[in-house]
């Protein structure tokens, strides 16, 4: 039914090879947009340092979450089953790493803590909403098609009798 007589139908699409970069771009765009709007508001309401504080908090959040999606992109190609374990290890390294950087750098004199926290929190919320929305739109196959793998589906005759389910007989009224 899809052809010249039905030009408005969308053709069927397959699974995306690697969704991570698309999710990264959507999430970073959402977080960045919220951060810029909030930074302008902070600058107008308080001072330029408040706007920079918002942008600094947002940059840390985007870097923190972006590293995970980049690792997912590169790991997903070579070892998809190991990606989840690598996410967990990376998360621990990021938490310790970012805490160490902030501890050793200290708090800059220009940093407005309230606007920094507000910018980071708003960016996290925007990032997570965009990421969940992007994940919800993925087309992920749940099983391999036998035709795609070059294998024929097993026939009932090829199934051993011990593995086959007994036949079900239905009678009227039961």
């Amino acid at each position: 039914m899809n052809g010249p007589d039905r030009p408005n139908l969308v053709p069927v699409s397959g699974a995306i090879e690697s969704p991570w970069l698309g999710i990264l771009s959507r999430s970073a765009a959402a977080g960045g947009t919220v951060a810029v709007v909030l930074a302008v508001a902070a600058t107008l309401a308080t001072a330029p340092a408040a706007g920079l504080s918002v942008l600094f908090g947002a940059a840390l959040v985007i870097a923190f979450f972006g590293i995970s999606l980049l690792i997912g992109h590169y790991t997903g190609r070579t070892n998809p089953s190991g990606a989840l374990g690598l996410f967990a290890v990376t998360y621990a390294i990021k938490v310790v790493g970012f805490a160490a950087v902030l501890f050793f750098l200290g708090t800059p004199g220009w940093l407005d803590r309230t606007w920094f926290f507000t910018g980071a929190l708003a960016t996290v919320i925007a990032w997570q909403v965009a990421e969940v929305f992007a994940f919800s739109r993925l087309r992920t196959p749940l099983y391999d098609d036998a035709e795609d793998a070059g294998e024929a589906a097993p026939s009932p005759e090829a199934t051993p009798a011990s593995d086959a389910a007994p036949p079900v007989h239905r009678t009227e009224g039961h």
Side-chain angles (χ1 to χ4, degrees):
M1 294 300 273
N2 193 5
D5 57 332
R6 307 286 301 260
N8 295 333
L9 291 178
V10 177
V12 174
S13 63
I16 298 171
E17 183 179 329
S18 178
W20 306 109
L21 292 180
I23 294 169
L24 173 63
S25 65
R26 286 184 183 101
S27 300
T33 301
V34 167
V36 167
V37 169
L38 190 58
V40 169
T43 300
L44 294 175
T46 309
L52 288 175
S53 298
V54 168
L55 294 176
F56 183 55
L60 287 176
V61 167
I62 290 171
F64 188 84
F65 286 124
I67 290 170
S68 295
L69 292 176
L70 285 173
I71 286 175
H73 172 71
Y74 290 111
T75 304
R77 291 182 185 175
T78 57
N79 186 10
S81 62
L84 187 59
L86 196 54
F87 277 137
V89 169
T90 303
Y91 183 80
I93 292 170
K94 288 186 306 182
V95 168
V96 170
F98 277 103
V101 167
L102 291 175
F103 178 75
F104 289 121
L105 287 180
T107 304
W110 54 266
L111 188 77
D112 183 321
R113 292 175 188 239
T114 302
W115 283 109
F116 173 81
F117 175 75
T118 304
L121 180 62
T123 304
V124 165
I125 292 169
W127 182 285
Q128 292 297 306
V129 167
E131 192 172 53
V132 167
F133 185 78
F135 269 115
S136 73
R137 300 291 185 241
L138 288 181
R139 295 181 56 90
T140 307
L142 299 176
Y143 53 88
D144 290 334
D145 290 332
E147 295 82 25
D148 292 343
E151 303 171 358
S155 65
E157 296 83 28
T159 305
S162 61
D163 292 341
V168 177
H169 299 285
R170 297 183 187 253
T171 57
E172 294 290 328
H174 291 297

